[in-house]
Amino acid sequence: MSAIVGDEAVFAGDQAGHDEAVVALRTAILDKLTYHVGKRRAIATERDWLMATAIALRDQIIDRWLAGNEVTYQKGSKRVYYLSLEFLIGRLLFDNLNNMAKLETMRAALAGLDVDLDKLRALEPDAALGNGGLGRLAACFMESMATLDVPAYGYGIRYAHGLFRQVMKNGWQQEYPEDWLSLGNPWEFHRPEVNYDIGFGGSIEAVPISEAAYRHVWHPAETIEAVAYDTPAVGWRGRRVNTLRLWSAHPADPLRLDAFNHGDHAGALADQVRAESISKVLYPSDATPAGQELRLRQEYFFVSASLQDLVRRHIRAFGHIGNLSDKTAIQLNDTHPAIAVAELMRILLDIHQISWEDAWRMTRATFSYTNHTLLPEALEVWPVPLMERLLPRHMQIIYLINALHLGQVRREFPGDDRLLSSVSMIDEQQGRRVRMSHLAFLGSHRVNGVSALHTGLMRETVFHDLHSLFPERIVNVTNGIAFRRWLHEANPRLTRLLINTVGPEVLDNEAALTRLRPLATDVGFQKRFAASRTVNKLALSELIRRELEIRVDPTALFDVHIKRIHEYKRQLLNILEAIALYNAIRARPMDDWTPRVKIFAGKAAASYQQAKLIIKLIHDVAKVINSDPTVRDVLKIVFLPNYSVSLAEVIIPAADLSEQISTAGMEASGTGNMKFALNGALTIGTLDGANVEIKENVGDDNIFIFGLTAEQVTARRKLSLASEDLIAASPVLAEVLASVEFGVFSPDQPDRYHGLVNSLRHNDYFMVCADFDDYYATQRRLADLWRQPTDWWKAAILNTANVGWFSSDRSIREYAEEVWNVPTYTPQ
């Protein structure tokens, strides 16, 4: 079943006009098949049809894309530039068909050619441009900016092989390169004429320009070329089409011909390999010095290319750079692009000869910074020697920014050395490192958190002292999701029900969802709501059977935990609870248990051994439980490999229960929680991230909160990380840990999980043991509620009805008003 919105059936139009559009589109597809793909219909493969279909649609997008850019130039509009290391855009065929109102026209056009549109959809690879919530948020924001008519560019890297393709071998995660570009990308435009030199290393020359002034000239030791690839980013109803510009790294010279001619054929390509490694893989391991250097090279590479590009565009539009901050807003999506602050200062100072005071004023007025994490390892710091060697001019600028900043602090707070150390951009405690989050904070006029709780914790913890110096700088903009993607496209059955029930306005106005509230107790509507879920669960059950050869009961409670594998996201807590449930079922097999399928998906970072061990534990537990006849299909454990946007689009509409169980105070926001709630899944979660605001919107009775609060987590960590007392007081937990520790689930290697259990006993930083009993009890309450369908579906409907506020359109309106100072489209 395909998505059903954004088509002519939704927009008024007579049948004759529809038929003409079908014929025209069919002709265009055949034209692209012949003249672009180079095939005749008789020998065309499904892949050929996919390319022809995508390019025919792309042609219709281009007119609006170019027209929007021309209007922006004519009006002299302010532009927003969104710098992100990730853009997890997924597949674009149905996304663009929905937003361009062409879905049913395309389906009919292809049907007349004996081509199945849904089969083409399945052929399209997910764009390997991101990993998790950070990249998916960037994709949702790009769509919302176009929907709200905000002129914007997204800037990132065109990764040839993405993060990695996850393959499971005997329960262990194996990493292989993604190959999403191997057969071409029909959506992108290669722009070889848009290229910029990116320098690394070298020396700085101070060139006198007067008796009292010098101009600094950077002479890089190495130069790499950044080449642009553009992908149109289509807004809802095609209202606006913005640009996602991704950079690919190339050597300045593709081949050292002298070395090649002397027989050193491999050595002749060394510079090419070194240059192209920058855009090969997302998040290369930084466990080695070479890995650290590559990460920094990646970040500077895309930042420098993007800033050179936007400055060039600005001067072409306005003739000078003096009004850059009036016409440009640059959003740093997390700390990865923070070097942009020093790079823009370099461009203004060294290339355009702007004075230091004016350059710093323009820089701060232009930049804003979104912080996405409180985890120390994610608040990037770079060794000073590495920065001085790789980016010598930028370190000069950083030193001066820091000196002026600390001088001001010293004047205002004389003698407070602790404060000076805390707010300095150079961490002197750990071998001298540059705090990139401090650079981003000081170089921005606004710094935002991504949920109310996270923003409050930012002010209290990682930026406490900087917040005391600049109390107006930190603001909150809670994350949001693109309803077009995560409801209209991912769940067409529910969307059709919503249209038929509350009207087509629900497609354009997320607030219209509140009209469902009176229907939450309507038994007839509950049955229709549940029926749409059942069809989605059948589809997911078939995917599980096909991919894993595991049969699951589609009438069971689908309990879903899909996200990046990390200790703070606590997949470990979930699987330990599954073991406890398994033990209880075996102890009392004749009880009337609620059938449950626990569904996991997610990738662990390649070098994150503890997370990979947790994946192995999930598989080991699944192997035992799924093959135990005493369980009688009451409990099944499933781990779907190679988690992606497209996989999420199948899982989320089928979920009954959403696991949002991170250690309180550690999840900045989360957006998966919003996607599940929008589709009517109930949430079991801690008071963490946006769970707090979801609770406020859906009501206490319609979300299941357990565990320690962020304040209680902090207090317990100060007291002790040991959990022996908690384990001793919980017979259920003690039995679970003993079975894991002594090899019940790993008979081939009984001591496999000794270290894992030992860390829970003596260093339970993520509060797994502290929250276990409450989590287990809350799961039993949910199991009881599942057996009361009237109450369950009332809560599910109220979740969908009350989460309209979590639209990314709302988020972008807040950014536009409070951070960027740009207007947005308002529906009439």
Side-chain angles (χ1 to χ4, degrees), residues 506-569:
V506 74
L507 300 175
D508 294 278
N509 181 6
E510 59 271 16
L513 288 170
T514 58
R515 297 176 192 169
L516 290 175
R517 291 172 183 166
L519 297 171
T521 56
D522 184 314
V523 175
F525 183 75
Q526 286 184 356
K527 289 180 178 178
R528 294 194 295 276
F529 195 95
S532 71
R533 174 80 54 79
T534 297
V535 179
N536 295 331
K537 291 173 75 173
L538 287 167
L540 178 55
S541 299
E542 173 57 23
L543 184 148
I544 292 169
R545 184 201 63 77
R546 188 173 64 248
E547 296 294 325
L548 302 177
E549 298 183 350
I550 297 174
R551 295 187 180 274
V552 299
D553 178 5
T555 67
L557 190 160
F558 277 19
D559 177 352
V560 178
H561 200 167
I562 53 172
K563 53 184 74 227
R564 180 167 53 95
I565 309 297
H566 196 290
E567 289 169 277
Y568 89 83
K569 293 179 183 288

